[in-house]
Amino acid sequence: MNTLMDVLRHRPGWVEVKDEGEWDFYWCDVSWLRENFDHTYMDEHVRISHFRNHYELTRKNYMVKNLKRFRKQLEREAGKLEAAKCDFFPKTFELPSEYHLFVEEFRKNPGITWIMKPVARSQGKGIFLFRRLKDIMDWRKDTRNSDDQKDDIPVENYVAQRYIENPYLIGGRKFDLRVYVLVMSYIPLRAWLYRDGFARFSNTRFTLNSIDDQYVHLTNVAVQKTSPDYHPKKGSKWMLQRFRQYLASKHGPQAVETLFRDMDNIFIKSLQSVQKVIISDKHCFELYGYDILIDQDLKPWLLEVNASPSLTASSQEDYELKTCLLEDTLHVVDMEARLTGREKRVGGFDLMWNDGPVSRDEGPPDLSGMGNFVTNTHLGCVNDRKKQLRQLFCSLQVQKKASN
């Protein structure tokens, strides 16, 4: 179910451009961007769905490099306490370039589990877990000696990352969270957080005794749907509202508030880490898919940020979420010029950063000590959206039937 095409084709007043006609809005893929962006003239009003060098945040190695640099900058300028707010990603090394640093760290902590991820692939491809240096040495040997690796073909880069061995489990199964952040500008930074998202579960109970079983350790839908016991209609997702309610019933509302506030910090700090390196072109916006893992201490960890989060629906509920997400993204992008520029909420999006933190309260925020400051985020709070979701879904279905 292609939610993107459904939403674009049924948006009032929008017409799909065929072949090489002139266009005003392009939901492009990153390969088009790489090949065409620098050679394409765009009028003032034109919008495209990626920043020119989005990979500074969305490639695993660049993301970590920028976060490490930003943490050092914060330590220099604001002290260790402020820098510690960036301690939300696991210890990570880029291979093969940081291989010797990695080996040094590996030998300090024998027996712990590490995870290897190719920096530029998605959907769980190429990922494996290991505990022995021999496994990584075999991999390194393969990359050096492969007949396919001629001088003109670069070795594929990986990151070796300390595996989080104590994930929070629900029903004995591991999960991660997919959260959507829409960035309209980097200079100044203007970012919106979507209220809904989902938890993606593995189909198999968690154990560290079988590190080769991808159905235990990888929550990607592309991986899980190949599992023998995957239920195609039911899928393996919870909406964030259900997840938040579950945590509140187990740990109380205060613990949940703290967790979600820590997640807000991840979104802002990660965007700030690339603010000065991303080319902030006025024609560009980007809908990022953040992948967050929660551990048993209710600490959130940033796993990666996706430049092209999947917009294909895996279930009825997934279709409703993603069609509304896209509708609301187009409302914020505002090709029709309906917004005043003072909105704090548009559909399911809340403005969380507008060249500074945005308060839930009306009027300018009092930042003198930030004591009573509450950020304008409502992740997992979507009660009043359910009716709109259903109405939008029904209208799309009616329009599809009519066009058929």
Side-chain angles (χ1 to χ4, degrees):
M1 294 191 285
N2 191 328
T3 57
L4 180 60
M5 293 311 295
D6 283 352
V7 168
L8 289 174
R9 283 176 175 153
H10 293 106
R11 192 163 178 87
W14 288 43
V15 178
E16 189 173 354
V17 175
K18 303 294 182 185
D19 304 322
E20 296 299 310
E22 284 191 14
W23 48 271
D24 305 297
F25 177 94
Y26 188 15
W27 196 286
C28 65
D29 57 39
V30 293
S31 58
W32 180 91
L33 191 82
R34 202 164 41 240
E35 293 163 15
N36 298 286
F37 186 91
D38 294 334
H39 318 291
T40 303
Y41 171 77
M42 286 181 269
D43 285 332
E44 178 86 15
H45 71 283
V46 167
R47 294 290 178 268
I48 61 170
S49 62
H50 293 289
F51 287 94
R52 175 67 183 85
N53 57 338
H54 62 87
Y55 47 78
E56 293 286 352
L57 182 62
T58 58
R59 269 180 66 127
K60 300 173 186 75
N61 53 336
Y62 291 161
M63 180 190 84
V64 169
K65 176 197 73 172
N66 285 312
L67 282 168
K68 285 178 178 176
R69 179 186 47 73
F70 186 59
R71 183 167 57 187
K72 283 180 183 171
Q73 178 192 328
L74 282 178
E75 190 168 340
R76 276 195 317 271
E77 295 174 1
K80 288 188 175 179
L81 216 59
E82 191 63 27
K85 292 179 182 175
C86 285
D87 291 339
F88 50 70
F89 58 99
K91 196 172 280 284
T92 306
F93 299 88
E94 184 175 355
L95 303 185
S97 62
E98 295 182 324
Y99 178 75
H100 295 293
L101 287 173
F102 164 70
V103 170
E104 195 179 310
E105 180 67 28
F106 183 93
R107 287 182 171 144
K108 281 184 199 169
N109 299 283
I112 68 166
T113 310
W114 292 79
I115 185 166
M116 282 279 278
K117 304 175 183 178
V119 300
R121 288 201 254 172
S122 59
Q123 298 185 322
K125 295 186 185 85
I127 295 177
F128 63 93
L129 277 63
F130 65 97
R131 291 199 187 110
R132 301 175 308 165
L133 208 49
K134 179 184 179 301
D135 298 333
I136 202 91
M137 289 167 112
D138 290 346
W139 167 84
R140 191 167 181 244
K141 212 177 291 175
D142 289 344
T143 61
R144 280 180 162 183
N145 301 336
S146 167
D147 292 338
D148 297 330
Q149 290 292 353
K150 306 300 181 192
D151 292 338
D152 58 336
I153 303 174
V155 171
E156 184 177 18
N157 284 12
Y158 273 66
V159 290
Q161 199 167 64
R162 189 161 175 169
Y163 186 65
I164 295 164
E165 297 182 316
N166 65 330
Y168 191 96
L169 305 178
I170 296 179
R173 296 182 300 155
K174 181 183 171 182
F175 64 92
D176 68 1
L177 305 180
R178 167 58 58 85
V179 181
Y180 298 101
V181 174
L182 175 62
V183 175
M184 295 303 298
S185 159
Y186 271 98
I187 301 175
L189 181 59
R190 186 172 171 85
W192 300 74
L193 178 65
Y194 203 59
R195 294 186 173 208
D196 214 350
F198 49 83
R200 304 180 298 186
F201 287 85
S202 63
N203 270 293
T204 310
R205 291 179 72 84
F206 182 78
T207 174
L208 286 169
N209 296 331
S210 54
I211 63 170
D212 296 329
D213 190 339
Q214 60 180 0
Y215 299 128
V216 171
H217 300 285
L218 304 185
T219 60
N220 311 66
V221 174
V223 171
Q224 291 298 326
K225 70 183 182 185
T226 65
S227 166
D229 54 353
Y230 179 76
H231 194 302
K233 285 188 178 173
K234 187 180 170 191
S236 50
K237 292 178 180 178
W238 274 14
M239 292 298 111
L240 273 184
Q241 182 189 16
R242 181 181 177 188
F243 170 71
R244 185 168 185 147
Q245 288 170 344
Y246 174 86
L247 283 188
S249 70
K250 289 278 184 184
H251 304 280
Q254 190 53 55
V256 174
E257 276 296 327
T258 301
L259 166 63
F260 277 71
R261 194 163 58 242
D262 290 345
M263 284 164 58
D264 292 344
N265 172 67
I266 290 177
F267 307 137
I268 295 301
K269 288 287 189 291
S270 59
L271 294 174
Q272 288 176 326
S273 77
V274 295
Q275 189 179 3
K276 290 179 180 173
V277 293
I278 294 268
I279 301 164
S280 189
D281 190 296
K282 63 188 175 187
H283 299 102
C284 304
F285 69 93
E286 192 125 29
L287 179 66
Y288 294 110
Y290 274 73
D291 291 344
I292 306 281
L293 182 81
I294 314 295
D295 70 17
Q296 287 173 1
D297 300 319
L298 294 185
K299 174 181 169 67
W301 296 89
L302 176 60
L303 299 181
E304 64 178 301
V305 184
N306 297 275
S308 302
S310 170
L311 297 172
T312 305
S314 58
S315 69
Q316 183 72 39
E317 194 173 33
D318 206 31
Y319 182 87
E320 293 178 22
L321 163 65
K322 287 173 179 172
T323 49
C324 279
L325 168 71
L326 289 166
E327 277 283 340
D328 292 340
T329 298
L330 298 183
H331 290 331
V332 175
V333 173
D334 193 28
M335 295 295 292
E336 299 90 348
R338 292 171 180 154
L339 302 182
T340 65
R342 296 187 297 275
E343 290 83 0
K344 285 188 181 181
R345 179 181 180 186
V346 175
F349 277 109
D350 295 294
L351 183 63
M352 66 172 169
W353 196 268
N354 188 18
D355 202 20
V358 178
S359 167
R360 280 188 200 178
D361 301 326
E362 292 303 317
D366 173 20
L367 299 181
S368 58
M370 301 281 283
N372 299 317
F373 185 87
V374 182
T375 309
N376 184 43
T377 54
H378 304 266
L379 190 59
C381 305
V382 290
N383 288 322
D384 59 336
R385 290 284 290 154
K386 289 299 177 188
K387 190 175 175 186
Q388 288 169 266
L389 280 165
R390 178 56 60 188
Q391 286 172 343
L392 174 65
F393 173 71
C394 290
S395 72
L396 280 175
Q397 293 300 348
V398 168
Q399 289 172 40
K400 280 175 85 172
K401 282 175 186 169
S403 61
N404 290 339

